[in-house]
Amino acid sequence: MFRYYLKLGTRSLRRNPFLTALMVLILGFGVGTSMTAYTVMHVLGGDPMPHKSSQLFVPQLDNGPLEGYTPGDDPDHQLSYIDTMNLLKDGKGKDRVAIYGLSPTIDSGRADLPPFFEPGLATTASFFRMFDVPFLHGNAWDEAADRDGAFVVVISRELSERLYGDTDPTGRSLRIDDRDYRVSGVIDHWRPVPKFYRILGGGGAISDAEDLFVPFRNAIAREWNNNGWTNCSGGRNEPGFAGFLKAECNWIQYWVELPDAAAVAEYRDYLSAYFAEQKKLGRMPRPENFALRNLREWLAFNEVVDSDTRLQTWIAFGFLLVCLVNVIGLLLAKFTARGGEIGVRRALGATRMEIVRQYLVETVVIGAIGGVVGLGLSYFGLAIVDKYGLGEAGIARMDVPLLAATVALAVVSAVLAGLLPTWRAAQVMPAMQLKSQ
Amino acid sequence: MEIKPILSTLMRNKTGVFVIAAQVALTLAIVANVFYIVRDRLAEANRPSGVDEDNTFMIGVGAYRPVVDPMADIARDLAGLRALPGVTHATLANQMPLAQSGNNSGVSVDRSQQQISTSVAFYEAADSLVDALGLKLVAGRDLAPSDVIEIQVGENSPEGPFPVVVTQALIDKVFPGETQPIGKLLYLGVGPNADELRIVGVVEALTTPWGRASWGLANRGDVSMIVPFRRATDSPLYIVRTEPGARAAAMKAAEALLVKPGNGRVLGANRSMTELRERRYRSDRFMVGLMGTMTGLLLVVTASGILGMASLWVNQRRKQIGVRRALGATRFDIVRYYLTENFIVTGIGIVVGIGLAFALNAMVASELGLERLPLAHLGIGVVLLWVIGQIAAYAPARRASLIAPATATRSV
Amino acid sequence: MLQMRKLSKVYRTHLIETHALRGFDIHVREGEFVAVTGPSGSGKTTFLNIAGLLEEFTDGEYLIDGVPVRGLDDNARSRLRNEKIGFIFQGFNMIPDLNLFDNVDVPLRYRGFKAPERKARIEHALERVGLASRMKHYPAELSGGQQQRVAIARALAGDPRLLLADEPTGNLDSAMARGVMELLEEINAQGTTIVMVTHDPELAQRAQRNVHIIDGQVSDLEHVTPLARVAARGAEAAVA
């Protein structure tokens, strides 16, 4: 019977191509817009490290002055140099990493490639293992390089190709801000979305990974300023970079890996004890105030999915709802016009369920075509969002579940829209159509 | 008027009325809420910066070799820039309006304050920023060469007091209603040791490096001040103003002047004020475009729904329309009947929609960063939907009016 | 075949109560050709709707082929209609979107026959009404008489025991009407019971038996000439 209804449905749809096209288009637009908006939200709200996101934590410590303190304030997003060094030295947690942004110059010495600025990170070797960064050539520097602040560098595949073409540059020397660095490795294309490890000051949630990585201590020794967000509180700093390091300026992003709940509890105790200890040393004048957020909580706290994105999604689904009501109207008109046929079918022995089935199949056909149209429009919409909204191609992409969800949304929408008209169609009394037409 | 017969007809077509009214209601609720955002974003993206935007640009350079005497380099750079054809002013500065990178400082107006009064975009300029950006001085005087404080590499900012030029927005924020701001004191930070700043001039506007920042540090986006610092650096930023029409050429010439092969320099950014504005508000314009498109589509869909339902009703009532015509109704009477019917149905939707708009606003406003729904916007939405309803219903109404009175006597 | 006892049908609106049928008794035997006549509003159509299980009745008893139908749900009634009853409407009621083959196919689909059997039945039914050669045509391409023949084919395709016809010639000119009437007589001769509502006395006369309905009640006038008919108002002339 299903094939019979499919035949009847497609025939009926072909019979009135304008109305069919209108329904399919309206449904397609509704589904296309809402799935575009949803995909953007899904991508931005995605988990960049699903297998590890519950184990990666950001500690926050409130080192602000007593003036201007309001209970309930969140501690700053970043840590001061003093706290970073203390936390690194104490070595709590399974693994830990400190990060700050750089923008040094690279001088390739090649006449065809004049010196240029390149965004980079000062970090520790643990960065690559904690964040599962893939290596194309070589590997990260070792613990000794971390300790000594050695002149070693890890570069991105893009930078490597720019400087060295297709060859493996491991072991070669690279001139950064007038000093030679040994290339210890090249990372393969790596671009977590959202860029969770450096939401603040790193170009935003959707931006490229940095192109060069040097040991944290090396960057400090070279007195490289933070290329990112710096927030100072308290009085006047002592002069120079040394003064800056001693100041209550927060500019370093810090992550710690805590494998289980026990480790988290232990780390909280540690932070609490650390806060008290620093108080004794005359720092941290405010009442105990620290936070420990895992990756997902961190993304939520930083509102990676901003209110614009949420608003767009709301409006898009509101639009879908209007489209649905519209399709209800069109289906009502269509089915009402066929009251005579329904009466005849009922008189010839069709049960109500059979009428319902026939018309549901028809709406499913509309939904399926609308889904395909919606899919096309979603691709178009996402290309536009990539180009003008996110500023880069290939970010907002649909994966297979989203593709399926798009078509499913269209079919479910069509069926929902078809419920009332179909129910009304099934209510047509056979007797009423018997008297002359 | 024939309101009563229309109402009783509608009562017998409840589903159709529901479908149209629901669309109108949802559309009104969405459009009214979106309208505010679009207007707000457009206003922000077009807000005057106080800058002579057509004729200004910034150029920043860095060094890939150690710089021996940065002050001398800067002096030479500025002399060179000023000598370029079409260039009228140039200054060393620490940041550029709408360039999305720069410094903010908290200021207070009283040493006993615990909290800062506001956060201020902190422009440091060695020569007149008023000239270099084409700002409009509305009170007092510009900073003079004699005010300039030189800061060498590794040195901290000087202790106060020093003179500052502030924006009118800053005055409005910290000294509301003040008509004689010249000579007033501000403090950098809070507490007894905060540096003292003396206001010597007020500019009409100078937007911050971020415009209106989403994190609300500098509200309205033009709470700024200019301090007379010449800070030595190996990566200077210059703000340059040109004669009308000379900017593009001057930007090329400036780049060639500052970054030459082997001179140890790297180009940071060379951007016109026009480009900076475009980059800063790209996402807002995108949002406006998106919202506008959605609203447009929404209205089209709703209009098509009204059109479809009105056509259906006309088709269903061919005979009774014929009868009406036979009984003496003029064409105009028939058109008026259908337009009135549409006015009522749309009206039902609008009444529900007004409630829905407020409910939606109350439900999601805080989460989505919306403000309370302005009544004026709701009014615009109401008028818009009524007009669209009438336009959409006109074609079917006109078709109804063309039905021949003889239809009444035909059996089918 | 069709038996109604003390059947009544009351239409209620919030204002008034109308008795369409009251104390209605009729018995149509297997193989009969019964013509039902009566003035407008007498209850003819109501009778046919109830007989065809298209409408429910208020009170009394109705047996079709010995099966009581009172209290059957909509699905059971649909099935019974599909298997035992064929309909011929005044307005033909072809489905305009379907060609002749597919129109005749409609009840067979609901019957659940397999494709080969459906095909055989459709072809046979269309042959019986002389339209086998035009099965790919659409209703709009046929004359009224031809459409009514297709309607008859559609009614016959499922081998119903009972054929209900509502003014089958009402929309046809006299030549076409004669043809349709001859076809019905032929079908009746082959054993199908036919109940036909008509207001045409000439047509009614050709039936074996006439039933006259007035004011929702029956006056059975068996093999009488139209002239001999008297208004049987109030008479309980049930044939049971």
Side-chain angles (χ1 to χ4, degrees):
Chain A
M1 254 348 222
F2 176 77
R3 278 181 50 204
Y4 179 55
Y5 292 142
L6 202 61
K7 193 176 103 186
L8 289 178
T10 47
R11 184 179 311 202
S12 145
L13 294 175
R14 274 209 307 269
R15 184 117 186 130
N16 203 335
F18 177 74
L19 189 62
T20 306
L22 193 64
M23 284 191 285
V24 163
L25 264 183
I26 288 176
L27 197 62
F29 262 108
V31 168
T33 340
S34 41
M35 284 313 287
T36 303
Y38 181 77
T39 304
V40 172
M41 201 164 87
H42 177 81
V43 168
L44 285 175
D47 188 337
M49 296 199 78
H51 58 292
K52 227 177 177 180
S53 55
S54 58
Q55 297 171 25
L56 294 173
F57 287 80
V58 177
Q60 294 167 257
L61 292 161
D62 192 348
N63 60 345
L66 212 46
E67 296 96 45
Y69 173 66
T70 318
D73 274 359
D74 248 289
D76 209 345
H77 289 57
Q78 304 180 105
L79 295 185
S80 68
Y81 179 74
I82 308 167
D83 292 323
T84 304
M85 294 322 280
N86 287 338
L87 261 53
L88 281 175
K89 188 174 85 236
D90 290 347
K92 299 287 189 224
K94 186 183 162 205
D95 217 340
R96 63 217 68 77
V97 63
I99 304 167
Y100 82 91
L102 308 171
S103 186
T105 57
I106 290 183
D107 182 4
S108 66
R110 268 159 55 188
D112 62 323
L113 193 64
F116 53 91
F117 280 118
E118 191 69 353
L121 284 186
T123 187
T124 42
S126 50
F127 180 88
F128 306 97
R129 54 174 190 265
M130 275 175 81
F131 299 146
D132 296 340
V133 184
F135 272 83
L136 183 67
H137 300 299
N139 41 41
W141 56 82
D142 55 17
E143 302 287 329
D146 263 339
R147 201 173 50 242
D148 306 338
F151 283 76
V152 290
V153 63
V154 167
I155 60 177
S156 70
R157 180 176 184 159
E158 291 76 13
L159 180 60
S160 174
E161 282 169 1
R162 199 166 156 202
L163 292 169
Y164 308 107
D166 289 338
T167 58
D168 174 1
T170 307
R172 289 175 68 164
S173 162
L174 178 61
R175 198 148 185 88
I176 304 172
D177 264 10
D178 216 31
R179 288 292 298 270
D180 286 326
Y181 285 70
R182 186 179 56 79
V183 177
S184 82
V186 177
I187 62 170
D188 205 348
H189 188 73
W190 179 63
R191 181 190 200 169
V193 177
K195 187 175 166 185
F196 66 95
Y197 63 90
R198 197 159 169 251
I199 289 166
L200 206 61
I206 303 289
S207 55
D208 276 322
E210 292 74 9
D211 286 299
L212 63 90
F213 305 82
V214 299
F216 189 86
R217 277 177 204 268
N218 176 275
I220 295 291
R222 297 212 60 191
E223 303 197 351
W224 273 334
N225 283 318
N226 177 30
N227 179 38
W229 190 265
T230 303
N231 187 19
C232 293
S233 59
R236 171 176 294 278
N237 299 351
E238 285 176 37
F241 195 74
F244 175 65
L245 294 182
K246 280 192 229 165
E248 297 295 354
C249 287
N250 300 329
W251 51 288
I252 299 166
Q253 312 204 351
Y254 193 91
W255 290 80
V256 58
E257 186 174 342
L258 303 168
D260 51 40
V264 176
E266 199 179 312
Y267 202 81
R268 280 187 189 282
D269 291 344
Y270 160 68
L271 286 179
S272 175
Y274 176 77
F275 206 98
E277 179 200 303
Q278 291 299 309
K279 242 184 194 323
K280 275 190 204 134
L281 294 172
R283 289 183 67 227
M284 314 257 181
R286 296 182 176 180
E288 180 183 279
N289 186 17
F290 66 85
L292 187 63
R293 293 184 161 91
N294 72 22
L295 197 156
R296 294 197 72 97
E297 292 163 345
W298 180 247
L299 294 179
F301 174 65
N302 281 285
E303 298 203 344
V304 168
V305 180
D306 61 355
S307 58
D308 272 11
T309 311
R310 287 200 303 267
L311 182 69
Q312 285 160 14
T313 312
W314 269 86
I315 289 173
F317 277 92
F319 178 60
L320 175 63
L321 194 61
V322 174
C323 290
L324 276 194
V325 177
N326 195 287
V327 173
I328 292 177
L330 294 174
L331 284 174
L332 266 178
K334 190 175 171 72
F335 290 0
T336 308
R338 287 201 286 169
E341 180 196 324
I342 300 165
V344 175
R345 285 184 179 277
R346 292 280 284 133
L348 295 177
T351 60
R352 284 213 171 94
M353 262 323 284
E354 263 156 331
I355 298 296
V356 167
R357 270 188 224 121
Q358 180 187 339
Y359 284 79
L360 271 186
V361 169
E362 190 167 330
T363 53
V364 167
V365 171
I366 294 172
I369 305 173
V372 173
V373 172
L375 213 54
L377 287 170
S378 300
Y379 266 88
F380 179 68
L382 288 175
I384 288 182
V385 169
D386 269 347
K387 182 143 188 235
Y388 300 102
L390 302 174
E392 230 154 314
I395 296 295
R397 263 235 195 102
M398 283 194 164
D399 48 16
V400 173
L402 274 178
L403 290 178
T406 306
V407 177
L409 179 67
V411 171
V412 169
S413 301
V415 169
L416 280 179
L419 280 183
L420 177 67
T422 304
W423 180 78
R424 296 251 312 210
Q427 297 313 303
V428 169
M429 291 307 294
M432 298 181 60
Q433 304 298 332
L434 263 174
K435 301 161 192 172
S436 78
Q437 280 181 314
Chain B
M1 278 297 270
E2 39 200 351
I3 301 280
K4 251 195 91 176
I6 291 178
L7 282 179
S8 65
T9 312
L10 289 178
M11 281 304 285
R12 300 175 52 133
N13 273 308
K14 289 197 199 77
T15 331
V17 174
F18 165 77
V19 165
I20 294 304
Q23 281 183 69
V24 170
L26 284 167
T27 304
L28 178 62
I30 295 174
V31 169
N33 276 295
V34 163
F35 202 82
Y36 154 74
I37 305 167
V38 169
R39 204 203 55 168
D40 183 61
R41 294 295 171 96
L42 275 181
E44 170 58 20
N46 293 319
R47 186 171 53 82
S49 59
V51 176
D52 176 13
E53 294 192 17
D54 291 339
N55 301 310
T56 43
F57 70 94
M58 67 168 215
I59 181 163
V61 292
Y64 63 92
R65 282 203 298 263
V67 176
V68 185
D69 185 354
M71 281 300 193
D73 286 1
I74 288 166
R76 197 176 53 245
D77 287 345
L78 281 170
L81 286 170
R82 286 183 186 125
L84 292 176
V87 170
T88 56
H89 301 89
T91 180
L92 172 73
N94 67 329
Q95 59 193 22
M96 178 76 176
L98 300 184
Q100 302 184 73
S101 165
N103 291 339
N104 258 310
S105 286
V107 295
S108 52
V109 295
D110 191 313
R111 286 198 189 277
S112 64
Q113 272 176 246
Q114 287 284 300
Q115 303 265 20
I116 58 166
S117 301
T118 182
S119 182
V120 185
F122 199 79
Y123 284 90
E124 300 175 0
D127 298 287
S128 171
L129 194 66
V130 171
D131 286 342
L133 286 174
L135 307 177
K136 190 175 169 203
L137 202 63
V138 291
R141 63 168 178 90
D142 192 5
L143 295 168
S146 57
D147 294 323
V148 172
I149 302 160
E150 294 213 338
I151 305 163
Q152 299 304 326
V153 173
E155 275 183 7
N156 264 349
S157 301
E159 291 177 25
F162 47 78
V164 294
V165 167
V166 302
T167 56
Q168 185 62 44
L170 175 57
I171 301 290
D172 294 344
K173 176 99 179 167
V174 300
F175 302 118
E178 177 62 62
T179 52
Q180 300 294 328
I182 304 304
K184 285 261 177 195
L185 296 181
L186 290 170
Y187 302 96
L188 211 47
V190 291
N193 300 320
D195 291 323
E196 190 179 291
L197 314 172
R198 191 164 34 81
I199 296 172
V200 298
V202 179
V203 288
E204 188 179 43
L206 168 57
T207 203
T208 68
W210 302 275
R212 183 180 56 188
S214 54
W215 16 267
L217 278 179
N219 80 331
R220 285 187 55 222
D222 32 37
V223 176
S224 312
M225 64 162 67
I226 309 167
V227 298
F229 291 175
R230 177 176 289 129
R231 194 187 288 274
T233 169
D234 60 1
S235 48
L237 172 76
Y238 301 112
I239 296 178
V240 184
R241 186 161 163 225
T242 66
E243 285 163 3
R247 185 172 66 185
M251 286 174 74
K252 276 203 195 99
E255 192 170 324
L257 172 79
L258 299 181
V259 185
K260 293 182 186 119
N263 78 342
R265 284 277 180 79
V266 182
L267 181 69
N270 184 8
R271 295 208 168 107
S272 71
M273 189 64 207
T274 315
E275 186 192 346
L276 290 172
R277 173 175 287 275
E278 196 278 322
R279 290 168 76 102
R280 164 60 183 85
Y281 292 114
R282 189 178 289 165
S283 64
D284 294 271
R285 286 182 191 283
F286 176 70
M287 183 81 175
V288 167
L290 204 70
M291 294 289 154
T293 311
M294 294 257 240
T295 309
L297 280 176
L298 203 57
L299 293 175
V300 168
V301 167
T302 304
S304 81
I306 292 172
L307 184 90
M309 195 56 72
S311 305
L312 175 74
W313 282 344
V314 168
N315 284 343
Q316 281 178 346
R317 301 180 199 152
R318 289 187 73 81
K319 181 135 182 175
Q320 59 151 300
I321 294 166
V323 172
R324 274 170 193 278
R325 292 279 284 130
L327 294 177
T330 63
R331 291 212 162 123
F332 178 71
D333 289 334
I334 302 291
V335 170
R336 195 180 56 185
Y337 178 95
Y338 279 96
L339 290 185
T340 310
E341 182 177 64
N342 170 269
F343 191 81
I344 293 171
V345 176
T346 310
I348 296 171
I350 283 172
V351 170
V352 178
I354 289 174
L356 201 61
F358 277 112
L360 200 68
N361 191 258
M363 249 165 48
V364 299
S366 58
E367 199 211 339
L368 302 179
L370 304 179
E371 272 177 23
R372 288 208 63 77
L373 193 63
L375 277 175
H377 292 171
L378 203 58
I380 293 169
V382 167
V383 172
L384 194 65
L385 276 163
W386 249 320
V387 169
I388 284 176
Q390 294 287 295
I391 292 172
Y394 180 74
R398 171 143 178 79
R399 211 145 37 74
S401 75
L402 296 179
I403 290 171
T407 311
T409 57
R410 275 186 224 128
S411 61
V412 177
Chain C
M1 184 69 232
L2 178 158
Q3 191 168 12
M4 291 179 178
R5 282 196 217 112
K6 302 257 175 308
L7 195 123
S8 69
K9 172 72 182 177
V10 182
Y11 289 107
R12 287 194 181 87
T13 68
H14 58 289
L15 286 177
I16 45 163
E17 221 173 64
T18 318
H19 290 261
L21 297 177
R22 62 177 110 193
F24 193 91
D25 290 313
I26 191 170
H27 186 187
V28 177
R29 293 179 197 84
E30 180 114 38
E32 270 191 307
F33 191 152
V34 178
V36 178
T37 55
S40 298
S42 59
K44 288 191 309 257
T45 305
T46 305
F47 158 69
L48 204 61
N49 279 344
I50 291 172
L53 303 175
L54 298 175
E55 237 178 85
E56 297 198 54
F57 47 94
T58 317
D59 210 359
E61 229 182 311
Y62 173 28
L63 290 89
I64 183 160
D65 209 9
V67 183
V69 297
R70 191 180 179 82
L72 287 183
D73 67 6
D74 191 82
N75 285 351
R77 292 147 59 87
S78 296
R79 214 164 301 127
L80 213 54
R81 203 153 61 218
N82 185 254
E83 285 171 18
K84 304 220 158 153
I85 306 169
F87 283 95
I88 300 165
F89 309 97
Q90 178 179 5
F92 325 136
N93 283 347
M94 295 282 97
I95 296 175
D97 290 355
L98 304 179
N99 62 26
L100 304 195
F101 185 94
D102 288 334
N103 256 291
V104 178
D105 192 26
V106 171
L108 304 180
R109 289 275 184 173
Y110 297 125
R111 189 79 163 268
F113 287 137
K114 295 263 176 292
E117 178 168 5
R118 287 205 315 271
K119 188 164 184 287
R121 279 173 177 267
I122 296 164
E123 281 166 2
H124 178 65
L126 283 170
E127 249 162 54
R128 270 178 88 177
V129 301
L131 285 166
S133 60
R134 314 192 64 168
M135 58 172 73
K136 294 290 168 204
H137 288 240
Y138 282 85
E141 300 161 17
L142 302 183
S143 72
Q146 285 169 322
Q147 286 197 40
Q148 194 58 299
R149 282 166 178 277
V150 179
I152 293 170
R154 183 171 66 184
L156 289 177
D159 278 337
R161 306 279 305 279
L162 174 64
L163 204 57
L164 297 176
D166 182 19
E167 304 274 11
T169 59
N171 285 7
L172 302 175
D173 63 35
S174 54
M176 284 181 178
R178 214 166 21 250
V180 165
M181 201 54 207
E182 277 161 11
L183 185 58
L184 287 178
E185 281 167 352
E186 188 190 316
I187 289 161
N188 178 246
Q190 285 163 13
T192 309
T193 314
I194 297 180
V195 175
M196 175 180 75
V197 165
T198 181
H199 63 263
D200 182 346
E202 226 176 291
L203 230 54
Q205 225 175 0
R206 294 175 67 157
Q208 293 166 5
R209 181 177 149 205
N210 276 12
V211 171
H212 197 67
I213 301 179
I214 291 178
D215 264 7
Q217 290 178 323
V218 167
S219 75
D220 200 341
L221 305 160
E222 212 160 342
H223 310 294
V224 288
T225 61
L227 289 175
R229 264 187 230 156
V230 288
R233 191 186 180 87
E236 293 267 330
V239 184

